[in-house]
Amino acid sequence: MRSGVRLGIDVGKARIGVARSDLHGMLATPVETVPRDPEAREDIARLLGIVGELDVFEVIVGLPLNMRGEHTLSTDDATGFADRLAAQLAASARPVPVRLVDERLSTVSAQGQLRQAGKKTKQTRSIIDQAAAVVILQHALDSERAQGTAPGRAVAPTHADAEENDV
């Protein structure tokens, strides 16, 4: 198991859930919910800040596939976001790789866990994205521990994305 803090991200249309791992990659915990801001790109700027604050060595972005493993509009949105984030991180003073990991049912699983903890749907709106990010990241950590290899697939940053989306 590789050592270092990982950041887990659940990309949504309105919000981005963020989770982190401990240094040993054993446990994922919630960090914050970042408002999605495709126009001004303040969302990516905030994520870059979190990466620096937590000294992250890898970012895991959830890849929302349908139940048959096919791409959807949400898949394209998350992939585009991961591409822009990867480009910005690659262009930073301390480049950090980004990986896409299958996140099927992560939000459903997070909702179930919150319901079991006695939280009502209305109470969970502000934290559901963080909880989904925890599920995504924990799945990635468990997968790496079981298989002995990095989870998902690496996002190849392009310099065009970094220049076009300069934050």
Side-chain angles (χ1 to χ4, degrees):
M1 186 78 179
R2 299 170 301 152
S3 181
V5 175
R6 294 155 181 86
L7 202 66
I9 296 179
D10 177 47
V11 180
K13 290 187 185 301
R15 294 173 303 279
I16 300 165
V18 183
R20 65 165 292 173
S21 75
D22 62 296
L23 186 61
H24 304 292
M26 298 299 290
L27 186 63
T29 55
V31 173
E32 71 180 79
T33 300
V34 176
R36 183 86 187 264
D37 185 12
E39 298 299 316
R41 295 183 183 90
E42 289 179 22
D43 47 7
I44 288 185
R46 177 61 191 133
L47 293 174
L48 294 174
I50 294 170
V51 166
E53 291 165 19
L54 299 177
D55 196 25
V56 170
F57 97 94
E58 183 174 71
V59 175
I60 304 293
V61 176
L63 182 65
L65 302 169
N66 69 18
M67 292 309 291
R68 293 185 302 239
E70 300 165 339
H71 284 231
T72 66
L73 291 175
S74 292
T75 308
D76 296 340
D77 183 45
T79 302
F81 186 86
D83 288 342
R84 290 187 298 280
L85 181 59
Q88 290 298 317
L89 287 167
S92 68
R94 193 178 61 82
V96 174
V98 175
R99 302 187 71 78
L100 285 164
V101 173
D102 184 352
E103 68 150 279
R104 278 178 269 188
L105 299 178
S106 63
T107 301
V108 172
S109 175
Q111 287 171 333
Q113 290 172 6
L114 290 170
R115 202 171 17 261
Q116 283 181 334
K119 303 284 185 188
K120 295 184 189 311
T121 304
K122 204 172 195 180
Q123 297 172 310
T124 64
R125 285 192 186 128
S126 63
I127 59 170
I128 190 66
D129 302 295
Q130 291 176 45
V134 167
V135 170
I136 291 164
L137 183 54
Q138 191 64 55
H139 169 72
L141 296 171
D142 295 345
S143 174
E144 181 172 337
R145 202 169 14 269
Q147 298 176 1
T149 60
R153 70 172 171 86
V155 175
T158 64
H159 295 294
D161 284 333
E163 292 168 9
E164 176 184 320
N165 298 305
D166 199 18
V167 173

